[in-house]
Coordinates of all heavy atoms in Angstrom, one line a residue:
M1 N 0.8 -1.2 0.0 CA 0.0 0.0 0.0 C 0.9 1.3 0.0 O 0.6 2.2 -0.8 CB -0.9 0.0 1.2 CG -1.7 1.2 1.5 SD -3.2 1.2 0.5 CE -4.0 2.6 1.2
A2 N 1.8 1.3 0.9 CA 2.7 2.5 1.0 C 3.5 2.7 -0.3 O 3.8 3.8 -0.7 CB 3.6 2.4 2.2
S3 N 4.0 1.6 -0.8 CA 4.8 1.7 -2.1 C 4.0 2.2 -3.2 O 4.5 2.9 -4.1 CB 5.5 0.4 -2.4 OG 4.5 -0.6 -2.8
S4 N 2.7 1.8 -3.3 CA 1.9 2.3 -4.4 C 1.6 3.8 -4.2 O 1.5 4.6 -5.2 CB 0.6 1.6 -4.5 OG -0.2 1.8 -3.3
V5 N 1.5 4.3 -3.0 CA 1.3 5.7 -2.8 C 2.5 6.5 -3.2 O 2.5 7.6 -3.8 CB 1.0 6.0 -1.3 CG1 1.0 7.5 -1.0 CG2 -0.4 5.4 -0.9
V6 N 3.7 5.9 -2.9 CA 5.0 6.6 -3.3 C 5.1 6.6 -4.8 O 5.5 7.6 -5.4 CB 6.2 5.9 -2.6 CG1 7.5 6.3 -3.2 CG2 6.2 6.0 -1.1
Q7 N 4.7 5.5 -5.4 CA 4.8 5.5 -6.9 C 3.9 6.5 -7.5 O 4.2 7.2 -8.5 CB 4.4 4.1 -7.4 CG 5.5 3.1 -7.2 CD 5.1 1.7 -7.6 OE1 3.9 1.4 -7.7 NE2 6.1 0.8 -7.8
Y8 N 2.6 6.7 -7.0 CA 1.7 7.7 -7.5 C 2.3 9.1 -7.3 O 2.2 10.0 -8.1 CB 0.3 7.5 -6.9 CG -0.4 6.4 -7.4 CD1 -1.0 5.4 -6.6 CD2 -0.7 6.2 -8.8 CE1 -1.7 4.3 -7.1 CE2 -1.4 5.1 -9.3 CZ -1.9 4.2 -8.4 OH -2.6 3.1 -8.9
G9 N 2.8 9.3 -6.1 CA 3.4 10.5 -5.7 C 4.6 10.9 -6.6 O 4.7 12.1 -7.1
Q10 N 5.4 9.9 -7.0 CA 6.5 10.2 -7.9 C 6.0 10.5 -9.3 O 6.6 11.4 -10.0 CB 7.5 9.0 -7.9 CG 8.3 8.8 -6.7 CD 9.1 7.6 -6.6 OE1 8.8 6.6 -7.3 NE2 10.2 7.6 -5.8
A11 N 5.0 9.8 -9.7 CA 4.4 10.1 -11.0 C 3.8 11.5 -11.1 O 4.0 12.2 -12.1 CB 3.3 9.1 -11.4
V12 N 3.1 11.9 -10.0 CA 2.6 13.3 -10.0 C 3.7 14.3 -10.0 O 3.6 15.3 -10.6 CB 1.7 13.5 -8.7 CG1 1.3 14.9 -8.5 CG2 0.4 12.6 -8.9
L13 N 4.8 14.0 -9.2 CA 5.9 14.9 -9.2 C 6.6 15.1 -10.6 O 6.9 16.2 -11.0 CB 7.0 14.4 -8.2 CG 8.2 15.3 -8.0 CD1 7.8 16.7 -7.5 CD2 9.1 14.6 -7.0
V14 N 6.7 14.0 -11.3 CA 7.3 14.1 -12.6 C 6.3 14.9 -13.5 O 6.8 15.8 -14.3 CB 7.5 12.7 -13.2 CG1 7.7 12.7 -14.7 CG2 8.6 11.9 -12.5
L15 N 5.0 14.7 -13.4 CA 4.1 15.5 -14.2 C 4.2 17.0 -13.8 O 4.2 17.9 -14.7 CB 2.7 15.0 -14.0 CG 1.5 15.8 -14.7 CD1 1.7 15.6 -16.2 CD2 0.2 15.3 -14.2
L16 N 4.3 17.3 -12.6 CA 4.4 18.7 -12.1 C 5.7 19.3 -12.6 O 5.7 20.5 -13.1 CB 4.4 18.8 -10.6 CG 3.0 18.5 -10.0 CD1 3.1 18.5 -8.4 CD2 2.0 19.5 -10.4
R17 N 6.8 18.6 -12.7 CA 8.0 19.1 -13.2 C 8.0 19.3 -14.7 O 8.5 20.3 -15.2 CB 9.2 18.1 -12.9 CG 9.6 18.2 -11.4 CD 10.7 17.2 -11.1 NE 11.1 17.3 -9.7 CZ 11.7 16.4 -9.0 NH1 12.0 15.2 -9.6 NH2 12.1 16.6 -7.8
L18 N 7.3 18.5 -15.4 CA 7.1 18.7 -16.8 C 6.2 19.9 -17.1 O 6.5 20.7 -18.0 CB 6.4 17.5 -17.5 CG 7.3 16.2 -17.7 CD1 6.5 15.0 -18.2 CD2 8.4 16.5 -18.7
I19 N 5.2 20.1 -16.3 CA 4.4 21.3 -16.4 C 5.3 22.6 -16.2 O 5.2 23.6 -16.9 CB 3.2 21.3 -15.5 CG1 2.2 20.2 -15.9 CG2 2.5 22.6 -15.4 CD1 1.1 19.9 -14.9
L20 N 6.1 22.5 -15.1 CA 7.0 23.7 -14.8 C 7.9 23.9 -15.9 O 8.1 25.1 -16.4 CB 7.8 23.4 -13.5 CG 8.8 24.4 -13.1 CD1 8.1 25.7 -12.8 CD2 9.6 23.9 -11.9
F21 N 8.5 22.9 -16.5 CA 9.4 23.1 -17.6 C 8.7 23.7 -18.8 O 9.2 24.5 -19.5 CB 10.1 21.8 -18.0 CG 11.1 21.9 -19.0 CD1 12.2 22.7 -18.9 CD2 11.0 21.2 -20.2 CE1 13.2 22.9 -19.9 CE2 12.0 21.4 -21.2 CZ 13.1 22.2 -21.0
G22 N 7.5 23.2 -19.1 CA 6.7 23.7 -20.2 C 6.3 25.2 -20.0 O 6.4 25.9 -21.0
L23 N 6.0 25.5 -18.8 CA 5.7 27.0 -18.5 C 7.0 27.8 -18.8 O 6.9 28.9 -19.3 CB 5.2 27.1 -17.1 CG 3.8 26.6 -16.9 CD1 3.4 26.6 -15.4 CD2 2.7 27.4 -17.7
T24 N 8.1 27.4 -18.3 CA 9.3 28.2 -18.5 C 9.7 28.3 -20.0 O 10.1 29.3 -20.4 CB 10.5 27.6 -17.7 OG1 10.8 26.3 -18.1 CG2 10.3 27.7 -16.2
L25 N 9.5 27.2 -20.7 CA 9.7 27.3 -22.2 C 8.8 28.2 -22.8 O 9.1 28.9 -23.8 CB 9.7 25.9 -22.8 CG 10.8 25.0 -22.6 CD1 10.6 23.6 -23.3 CD2 12.1 25.6 -23.0
G26 N 7.5 28.2 -22.4 CA 6.5 29.1 -22.9 C 6.9 30.5 -22.7 O 6.8 31.4 -23.7
I27 N 7.3 30.9 -21.5 CA 7.6 32.3 -21.3 C 8.9 32.7 -22.0 O 9.1 33.8 -22.4 CB 7.7 32.6 -19.7 CG1 7.6 34.1 -19.5 CG2 9.0 32.0 -19.1 CD1 7.3 34.4 -18.1
T28 N 9.8 31.7 -22.2 CA 11.0 32.0 -23.0 C 10.6 32.3 -24.4 O 11.2 33.2 -25.1 CB 12.0 30.8 -22.9 OG1 12.3 30.6 -21.5 CG2 13.2 31.1 -23.7
L29 N 9.7 31.5 -25.0 CA 9.3 31.7 -26.4 C 8.6 33.0 -26.5 O 8.8 33.8 -27.5 CB 8.3 30.6 -26.8 CG 7.7 30.7 -28.2 CD1 8.8 30.6 -29.2 CD2 6.7 29.6 -28.4
I30 N 7.7 33.4 -25.6 CA 7.0 34.7 -25.6 C 8.0 35.8 -25.6 O 7.9 36.8 -26.3 CB 6.0 34.8 -24.5 CG1 4.8 33.8 -24.8 CG2 5.5 36.2 -24.3 CD1 3.9 33.6 -23.6
S31 N 9.0 35.7 -24.7 CA 10.0 36.8 -24.6 C 10.9 36.9 -25.8 O 11.3 38.0 -26.3 CB 10.9 36.6 -23.3 OG 11.7 35.5 -23.4
F32 N 11.1 35.7 -26.5 CA 11.9 35.8 -27.7 C 11.1 36.4 -28.8 O 11.6 37.2 -29.6 CB 12.3 34.4 -28.2 CG 13.0 34.3 -29.5 CD1 14.3 34.8 -29.6 CD2 12.4 33.8 -30.6 CE1 15.0 34.8 -30.8 CE2 13.1 33.7 -31.8 CZ 14.4 34.2 -31.9
Q33 N 9.8 36.1 -28.9 CA 8.9 36.8 -29.9 C 8.9 38.3 -29.7 O 8.9 39.1 -30.6 CB 7.5 36.1 -29.9 CG 7.5 34.7 -30.4 CD 6.2 34.0 -30.2 OE1 5.4 34.4 -29.4 NE2 6.0 32.9 -30.9
A34 N 8.8 38.7 -28.4 CA 8.7 40.1 -28.1 C 10.0 40.8 -28.5 O 10.0 41.9 -29.1 CB 8.5 40.3 -26.6
Y35 N 11.1 40.1 -28.3 CA 12.4 40.6 -28.7 C 12.5 40.7 -30.2 O 13.1 41.7 -30.8 CB 13.6 39.8 -28.2 CG 14.9 40.2 -28.8 CD1 15.5 41.4 -28.5 CD2 15.6 39.3 -29.6 CE1 16.7 41.8 -29.0 CE2 16.8 39.6 -30.2 CZ 17.4 40.9 -29.9 OH 18.6 41.2 -30.4
Q36 N 12.0 39.8 -31.0 CA 12.0 39.8 -32.4 C 11.2 41.0 -33.0 O 11.6 41.6 -33.9 CB 11.5 38.5 -33.0 CG 12.6 37.4 -33.0 CD 12.1 36.2 -33.8 OE1 10.9 35.9 -33.8 NE2 13.0 35.6 -34.5
Q37 N 10.1 41.3 -32.3 CA 9.2 42.4 -32.8 C 9.8 43.7 -32.5 O 9.8 44.6 -33.3 CB 7.9 42.3 -32.1 CG 7.0 41.1 -32.6 CD 5.7 41.0 -31.9 OE1 5.4 41.7 -31.0 NE2 5.0 40.0 -32.3
R38 N 10.4 43.9 -31.3 CA 11.0 45.2 -30.9 C 12.5 44.9 -30.5 O 12.7 44.4 -29.4 CB 10.3 45.8 -29.8 CG 8.9 46.2 -30.1 CD 8.3 47.0 -29.0 NE 6.9 47.3 -29.3 CZ 5.9 46.8 -28.6 NH1 6.2 46.0 -27.6 NH2 4.7 47.1 -28.9
Q39 N 13.4 45.1 -31.3 CA 14.8 44.8 -31.1 C 15.4 45.7 -30.0 O 16.3 46.5 -30.4 CB 15.6 44.8 -32.4 CG 15.1 43.9 -33.5 CD 15.8 42.6 -33.4 OE1 16.9 42.5 -33.1 NE2 15.0 41.5 -33.7
S40 N 15.0 45.6 -28.8 CA 15.5 46.4 -27.8 C 16.5 45.6 -26.9 O 16.3 44.4 -26.7 CB 14.4 47.1 -26.9 OG 13.9 46.1 -26.0
E41 N 17.4 46.3 -26.3 CA 18.4 45.7 -25.4 C 17.7 45.1 -24.2 O 18.0 44.0 -23.7 CB 19.4 46.7 -25.0 CG 20.6 46.1 -24.3 CD 21.7 47.2 -24.0 OE1 21.6 48.3 -24.6 OE2 22.6 46.9 -23.2
R42 N 16.7 45.8 -23.7 CA 15.9 45.3 -22.5 C 15.3 43.9 -22.8 O 15.3 43.0 -22.0 CB 14.9 46.3 -22.0 CG 15.6 47.6 -21.5 CD 14.5 48.5 -21.1 NE 14.2 48.3 -19.7 CZ 13.5 49.1 -19.0 NH1 12.9 50.1 -19.5 NH2 13.3 48.8 -17.7
L43 N 14.6 43.8 -23.9 CA 13.9 42.6 -24.3 C 14.9 41.5 -24.6 O 14.7 40.3 -24.3 CB 13.0 42.8 -25.5 CG 11.7 43.6 -25.2 CD1 11.0 43.9 -26.5 CD2 10.9 42.9 -24.2
Q44 N 16.1 41.8 -25.1 CA 17.1 40.8 -25.3 C 17.6 40.3 -24.0 O 17.7 39.1 -23.8 CB 18.3 41.4 -26.0 CG 19.4 40.5 -26.3 CD 20.6 41.1 -27.0 OE1 20.8 42.3 -27.0 NE2 21.5 40.3 -27.6
Y45 N 17.8 41.1 -23.0 CA 18.3 40.7 -21.7 C 17.2 39.8 -21.0 O 17.5 38.8 -20.4 CB 18.6 41.8 -20.7 CG 19.9 42.5 -21.0 CD1 20.1 43.8 -21.1 CD2 21.1 41.7 -21.2 CE1 21.3 44.4 -21.4 CE2 22.3 42.3 -21.5 CZ 22.4 43.7 -21.6 OH 23.6 44.2 -21.9
A46 N 15.9 40.2 -21.2 CA 14.8 39.4 -20.6 C 14.7 38.0 -21.2 O 14.6 37.0 -20.5 CB 13.5 40.2 -20.8
F47 N 14.9 38.0 -22.6 CA 14.9 36.7 -23.3 C 16.0 35.8 -22.8 O 15.8 34.6 -22.5 CB 14.9 36.9 -24.8 CG 15.4 35.7 -25.5 CD1 14.6 34.5 -25.5 CD2 16.6 35.6 -26.2 CE1 15.0 33.4 -26.2 CE2 17.0 34.5 -26.8 CZ 16.2 33.4 -26.8
I48 N 17.2 36.4 -22.7 CA 18.3 35.6 -22.2 C 18.1 35.1 -20.8 O 18.4 34.0 -20.4 CB 19.7 36.4 -22.4 CG1 20.0 36.6 -23.9 CG2 20.8 35.7 -21.7 CD1 21.1 37.6 -24.1
G49 N 17.6 36.0 -20.0 CA 17.3 35.6 -18.6 C 16.3 34.5 -18.5 O 16.5 33.5 -17.8
F50 N 15.2 34.5 -19.2 CA 14.2 33.5 -19.2 C 14.8 32.2 -19.8 O 14.5 31.1 -19.3 CB 13.0 33.8 -19.9 CG 12.1 34.8 -19.2 CD1 11.7 36.0 -19.7 CD2 11.7 34.5 -17.9 CE1 11.0 36.9 -19.0 CE2 10.9 35.4 -17.2 CZ 10.5 36.6 -17.8
A51 N 15.7 32.3 -20.8 CA 16.3 31.1 -21.4 C 17.2 30.4 -20.3 O 17.1 29.1 -20.2 CB 17.1 31.5 -22.6
F52 N 17.9 31.2 -19.5 CA 18.8 30.5 -18.5 C 17.9 30.0 -17.4 O 18.3 28.9 -16.8 CB 19.8 31.5 -18.0 CG 21.1 31.5 -18.8 CD1 21.3 32.4 -19.8 CD2 22.1 30.6 -18.5 CE1 22.5 32.4 -20.5 CE2 23.3 30.6 -19.2 CZ 23.4 31.5 -20.3
I53 N 16.8 30.6 -17.0 CA 16.0 30.1 -16.0 C 15.4 28.8 -16.5 O 15.3 27.8 -15.7 CB 14.9 31.1 -15.6 CG1 15.5 32.3 -14.8 CG2 13.8 30.5 -14.7 CD1 14.6 33.5 -14.6
S54 N 15.0 28.7 -17.7 CA 14.5 27.4 -18.3 C 15.5 26.4 -18.3 O 15.3 25.2 -17.9 CB 14.0 27.6 -19.8 OG 12.9 28.5 -19.8
M55 N 16.8 26.7 -18.6 CA 17.9 25.8 -18.5 C 18.1 25.3 -17.0 O 18.3 24.1 -16.8 CB 19.2 26.4 -19.0 CG 20.3 25.5 -19.1 SD 21.9 26.3 -19.5 CE 21.4 27.5 -20.8
G56 N 17.9 26.2 -16.1 CA 18.1 25.8 -14.7 C 17.0 24.8 -14.3 O 17.3 23.9 -13.5
V57 N 15.8 25.1 -14.7 CA 14.7 24.1 -14.4 C 15.0 22.8 -15.0 O 14.8 21.7 -14.4 CB 13.3 24.7 -14.9 CG1 12.2 23.6 -14.8 CG2 12.9 25.9 -14.1
A58 N 15.4 22.8 -16.3 CA 15.7 21.5 -16.9 C 16.8 20.7 -16.2 O 16.7 19.5 -16.0 CB 16.1 21.7 -18.4
V59 N 17.9 21.4 -15.8 CA 19.0 20.8 -15.2 C 18.6 20.3 -13.8 O 18.9 19.2 -13.4 CB 20.2 21.8 -15.0 CG1 21.3 21.2 -14.1 CG2 20.8 22.1 -16.4
S60 N 17.8 21.0 -13.1 CA 17.2 20.6 -11.8 C 16.4 19.3 -11.9 O 16.5 18.4 -11.1 CB 16.4 21.7 -11.1 OG 17.2 22.8 -10.8
N61 N 15.6 19.3 -13.0 CA 14.8 18.1 -13.2 C 15.7 16.9 -13.5 O 15.4 15.8 -13.0 CB 13.8 18.3 -14.3 CG 12.7 19.2 -13.9 OD1 12.4 19.4 -12.7 ND2 12.0 19.8 -14.9
I62 N 16.6 17.1 -14.4 CA 17.5 16.0 -14.7 C 18.3 15.5 -13.5 O 18.4 14.3 -13.3 CB 18.5 16.4 -15.9 CG1 17.7 16.6 -17.2 CG2 19.6 15.4 -16.1 CD1 18.5 17.3 -18.3
V63 N 18.9 16.4 -12.8 CA 19.7 16.0 -11.6 C 18.8 15.3 -10.6 O 19.2 14.3 -10.0 CB 20.4 17.2 -11.0 CG1 20.9 16.9 -9.6 CG2 21.4 17.7 -11.9
S64 N 17.6 15.7 -10.3 CA 16.7 15.1 -9.3 C 16.3 13.7 -9.8 O 16.2 12.8 -9.0 CB 15.5 15.9 -9.1 OG 14.7 16.0 -10.2
Q65 N 16.2 13.4 -11.1 CA 15.9 12.1 -11.6 C 17.1 11.2 -11.7 O 17.0 10.0 -11.7 CB 15.3 12.2 -13.0 CG 13.9 12.9 -13.0 CD 12.9 12.1 -12.2 OE1 12.8 10.9 -12.2 NE2 12.1 12.9 -11.4
M66 N 18.3 11.8 -11.7 CA 19.5 11.0 -12.0 C 20.0 10.2 -10.8 O 20.5 9.1 -11.0 CB 20.6 12.0 -12.3 CG 21.8 11.4 -13.0 SD 22.9 12.6 -13.7 CE 23.5 13.5 -12.2
F67 N 19.7 10.7 -9.6 CA 20.3 10.0 -8.4 C 19.2 9.1 -7.8 O 18.2 9.5 -7.2 CB 20.7 11.0 -7.3 CG 21.9 11.8 -7.7 CD1 21.8 13.2 -7.8 CD2 23.1 11.2 -8.0 CE1 22.9 14.0 -8.2 CE2 24.2 12.0 -8.4 CZ 24.1 13.4 -8.5
T68 N 19.5 7.7 -8.0 CA 18.6 6.8 -7.3 C 19.2 6.3 -6.0 O 18.6 5.8 -5.1 CB 18.4 5.5 -8.2 OG1 19.7 5.0 -8.6 CG2 17.6 5.9 -9.5
T69 N 20.5 6.6 -5.8 CA 21.2 6.3 -4.6 C 21.9 7.6 -4.1 O 22.0 8.6 -4.9 CB 22.3 5.2 -4.7 OG1 23.3 5.7 -5.7 CG2 21.7 3.9 -5.2
D70 N 22.3 7.7 -2.9 CA 22.9 8.9 -2.4 C 24.3 9.0 -3.0 O 25.2 8.1 -3.0 CB 23.1 8.8 -0.9 CG 21.8 9.0 -0.2 OD1 20.9 9.7 -0.7 OD2 21.6 8.5 0.9
P71 N 24.5 10.2 -3.7 CA 25.8 10.4 -4.3 C 26.9 10.8 -3.3 O 26.5 11.1 -2.1 CB 25.6 11.6 -5.2 CG 24.5 12.3 -4.6 CD 23.6 11.3 -3.9
T72 N 28.1 10.8 -3.7 CA 29.2 11.3 -2.8 C 29.0 12.8 -2.5 O 28.3 13.5 -3.3 CB 30.6 11.1 -3.4 OG1 30.7 11.9 -4.5 CG2 30.8 9.6 -3.7
A73 N 29.5 13.3 -1.5 CA 29.4 14.7 -1.1 C 29.9 15.6 -2.2 O 29.4 16.6 -2.5 CB 30.1 15.0 0.2
T74 N 31.0 15.2 -2.8 CA 31.6 16.0 -3.9 C 30.7 16.0 -5.1 O 30.5 17.1 -5.7 CB 33.0 15.4 -4.3 OG1 33.8 15.3 -3.1 CG2 33.7 16.2 -5.3
A75 N 30.2 14.9 -5.5 CA 29.3 14.8 -6.6 C 28.0 15.6 -6.4 O 27.6 16.4 -7.3 CB 28.9 13.4 -7.0
R76 N 27.5 15.5 -5.2 CA 26.3 16.3 -4.8 C 26.6 17.8 -4.9 O 25.8 18.6 -5.4 CB 25.8 15.9 -3.4 CG 24.5 16.5 -3.1 CD 23.4 15.8 -3.9 NE 22.3 16.7 -4.1 CZ 21.3 16.4 -4.9 NH1 21.3 15.3 -5.7 NH2 20.3 17.3 -5.1
L77 N 27.7 18.2 -4.4 CA 28.1 19.6 -4.4 C 28.2 20.1 -5.9 O 27.7 21.2 -6.2 CB 29.4 19.9 -3.7 CG 30.0 21.3 -3.7 CD1 29.0 22.2 -3.0 CD2 31.3 21.3 -3.1
F78 N 28.9 19.3 -6.7 CA 29.0 19.7 -8.1 C 27.7 19.8 -8.8 O 27.4 20.8 -9.5 CB 29.8 18.6 -8.9 CG 29.9 18.8 -10.4 CD1 30.7 19.8 -10.9 CD2 29.1 18.0 -11.2 CE1 30.7 20.0 -12.3 CE2 29.1 18.2 -12.6 CZ 29.9 19.2 -13.1
F79 N 26.8 18.9 -8.6 CA 25.5 19.0 -9.3 C 24.6 20.1 -8.7 O 23.8 20.7 -9.4 CB 24.7 17.6 -9.2 CG 25.3 16.6 -10.2 CD1 26.0 15.5 -9.8 CD2 25.2 16.9 -11.6 CE1 26.6 14.6 -10.6 CE2 25.8 16.0 -12.5 CZ 26.4 14.9 -12.0
D80 N 24.7 20.4 -7.4 CA 24.0 21.5 -6.8 C 24.5 22.8 -7.4 O 23.7 23.7 -7.7 CB 24.2 21.5 -5.3 CG 23.4 20.4 -4.6 OD1 22.4 19.9 -5.2 OD2 23.7 20.2 -3.4
M81 N 25.8 22.9 -7.6 CA 26.3 24.1 -8.3 C 25.9 24.2 -9.7 O 25.5 25.3 -10.2 CB 27.8 24.1 -8.2 CG 28.4 24.4 -6.8 SD 30.2 24.2 -6.6 CE 30.8 25.3 -7.9
T82 N 25.8 23.1 -10.4 CA 25.4 23.0 -11.8 C 23.9 23.5 -11.9 O 23.5 24.1 -12.9 CB 25.6 21.6 -12.3 OG1 26.9 21.2 -12.2 CG2 25.2 21.6 -13.8
E83 N 23.1 23.1 -10.9 CA 21.7 23.6 -10.9 C 21.6 25.1 -10.6 O 20.7 25.7 -11.2 CB 20.9 22.8 -9.8 CG 20.7 21.4 -10.0 CD 19.9 20.8 -8.8 OE1 19.0 21.5 -8.3 OE2 20.2 19.7 -8.5
T84 N 22.4 25.6 -9.8 CA 22.3 27.0 -9.3 C 22.8 28.0 -10.3 O 22.2 29.1 -10.4 CB 23.0 27.1 -7.9 OG1 22.5 26.1 -7.1 CG2 22.7 28.5 -7.3
I85 N 23.8 27.7 -11.0 CA 24.5 28.7 -11.9 C 23.5 29.3 -12.9 O 23.5 30.5 -13.1 CB 25.8 28.2 -12.4 CG1 26.8 28.1 -11.3 CG2 26.3 29.0 -13.6 CD1 28.1 27.3 -11.7
P86 N 22.7 28.4 -13.7 CA 21.8 29.0 -14.6 C 20.8 29.9 -14.0 O 20.4 30.9 -14.6 CB 21.2 27.8 -15.3 CG 22.1 26.6 -15.0 CD 22.8 26.9 -13.7
F87 N 20.3 29.6 -12.8 CA 19.4 30.5 -12.2 C 20.0 31.9 -11.8 O 19.4 32.9 -12.0 CB 18.8 29.9 -10.9 CG 17.8 28.8 -11.1 CD1 18.1 27.5 -10.8 CD2 16.6 29.0 -11.7 CE1 17.2 26.4 -11.0 CE2 15.7 28.0 -11.9 CZ 16.0 26.7 -11.6
I88 N 21.2 31.8 -11.4 CA 21.9 33.1 -11.1 C 22.1 33.9 -12.3 O 21.8 35.1 -12.3 CB 23.3 32.8 -10.4 CG1 23.2 32.2 -9.0 CG2 24.2 34.1 -10.4 CD1 24.5 31.7 -8.4
I89 N 22.5 33.3 -13.4 CA 22.7 34.1 -14.7 C 21.3 34.6 -15.1 O 21.2 35.7 -15.6 CB 23.4 33.2 -15.7 CG1 24.8 32.9 -15.3 CG2 23.4 33.9 -17.1 CD1 25.5 31.8 -16.1
G90 N 20.3 33.7 -15.1 CA 19.0 34.1 -15.6 C 18.4 35.3 -14.8 O 17.9 36.2 -15.4
F91 N 18.5 35.2 -13.5 CA 17.9 36.3 -12.7 C 18.7 37.6 -12.8 O 18.2 38.7 -12.8 CB 17.7 35.9 -11.2 CG 16.5 35.0 -11.1 CD1 16.7 33.7 -10.7 CD2 15.2 35.5 -11.2 CE1 15.6 32.8 -10.6 CE2 14.1 34.7 -11.1 CZ 14.3 33.3 -10.8
A92 N 20.0 37.4 -13.0 CA 20.9 38.6 -13.2 C 20.5 39.3 -14.5 O 20.4 40.5 -14.6 CB 22.4 38.2 -13.2
M93 N 20.2 38.5 -15.6 CA 19.8 39.1 -16.8 C 18.4 39.7 -16.7 O 18.2 40.8 -17.3 CB 19.8 38.0 -17.9 CG 21.2 37.4 -18.2 SD 22.4 38.6 -18.7 CE 22.0 38.9 -20.3
L94 N 17.5 39.1 -16.0 CA 16.2 39.8 -15.8 C 16.4 41.1 -15.0 O 15.7 42.1 -15.3 CB 15.3 38.8 -15.0 CG 14.7 37.7 -15.8 CD1 13.8 36.8 -14.9 CD2 13.9 38.2 -17.0
Y95 N 17.3 41.1 -14.0 CA 17.6 42.3 -13.3 C 18.1 43.4 -14.3 O 17.6 44.5 -14.2 CB 18.6 42.0 -12.2 CG 19.0 43.2 -11.4 CD1 18.3 43.6 -10.3 CD2 20.2 43.9 -11.7 CE1 18.7 44.7 -9.5 CE2 20.5 45.0 -11.0 CZ 19.8 45.4 -9.9 OH 20.2 46.5 -9.2
L96 N 19.0 43.0 -15.1 CA 19.5 44.0 -16.1 C 18.4 44.5 -17.0 O 18.4 45.7 -17.4 CB 20.6 43.4 -16.9 CG 22.0 43.2 -16.2 CD1 22.9 42.4 -17.2 CD2 22.6 44.5 -15.9
S97 N 17.5 43.6 -17.4 CA 16.4 44.0 -18.3 C 15.5 45.0 -17.7 O 14.9 45.9 -18.3 CB 15.6 42.8 -18.8 OG 14.8 42.3 -17.8
L98 N 15.4 45.0 -16.4 CA 14.5 45.9 -15.7 C 15.1 47.2 -15.3 O 14.5 48.2 -15.2 CB 13.9 45.2 -14.4 CG 13.0 44.0 -14.6 CD1 12.7 43.3 -13.3 CD2 11.7 44.4 -15.3
Y99 N 16.4 47.2 -15.1 CA 17.1 48.4 -14.6 C 18.1 49.0 -15.6 O 18.8 49.9 -15.2 CB 17.8 48.1 -13.3 CG 16.9 47.8 -12.2 CD1 16.6 46.6 -11.7 CD2 16.2 48.9 -11.6 CE1 15.7 46.4 -10.7 CE2 15.3 48.7 -10.6 CZ 15.0 47.5 -10.2 OH 14.1 47.3 -9.2
R100 N 18.0 48.7 -16.8 CA 18.9 49.3 -17.8 C 18.1 50.3 -18.6 O 17.0 50.3 -18.9 CB 19.5 48.3 -18.8 CG 20.7 47.6 -18.2 CD 21.7 47.4 -19.2 NE 22.9 47.2 -18.6 CZ 24.0 47.1 -19.2 NH1 24.1 47.1 -20.5 NH2 25.2 47.0 -18.5

């Protein structure tokens, strides 16, 4: 009984992660279209920011699915940094798009 609840929970989690990734790709596409229509530096920074945020979501999803056993501390640190860097770049670009 408990294992079937965990399996359903994991399936729902995978579905939620796919929805999140789809939403980030959607907002990236919308920002790219806006940049194509009006070639402004602000919209370019916004598009790049959303693209990196989408990349961060994708990497987070991949990393969370990758480990079925506990990784070593060094490997976990590497993958945690790999997840975080695209978010930092993405939000920095969004910051630039709002304040330039």
Side-chain angles (χ1 to χ4, degrees):
M1 172 83 171
S3 66
S4 64
V5 171
V6 170
Q7 288 176 338
Y8 287 124
Q10 288 175 337
V12 170
L13 182 59
V14 167
L15 178 64
L16 291 172
R17 286 180 175 156
L18 284 173
I19 291 170
L20 176 63
F21 184 62
L23 289 171
T24 59
L25 284 180
I27 200 165
T28 302
L29 178 64
I30 290 168
S31 66
F32 178 69
Q33 290 171 344
Y35 170 67
Q36 280 187 324
Q37 289 175 0
R38 296 188 186 114
Q39 300 269 324
S40 75
E41 191 175 345
R42 295 178 89 171
L43 288 174
Q44 181 183 16
Y45 285 133
F47 161 65
I48 293 169
F50 286 124
F52 272 95
I53 291 170
S54 295
M55 186 187 317
V57 169
V59 170
S60 295
N61 289 340
I62 291 168
V63 168
S64 66
Q65 295 296 319
M66 197 168 64
F67 293 119
T68 55
T69 60
D70 286 331
T72 64
T74 306
R76 188 71 208 170
L77 178 63
F78 171 76
F79 286 111
D80 286 344
M81 288 172 56
T82 304
E83 288 179 40
T84 305
I85 290 171
F87 286 113
I88 291 170
I89 295 169
F91 284 112
M93 296 305 280
L94 286 178
Y95 179 84
L96 286 174
S97 77
L98 293 172
Y99 289 105
R100 278 216 159 186

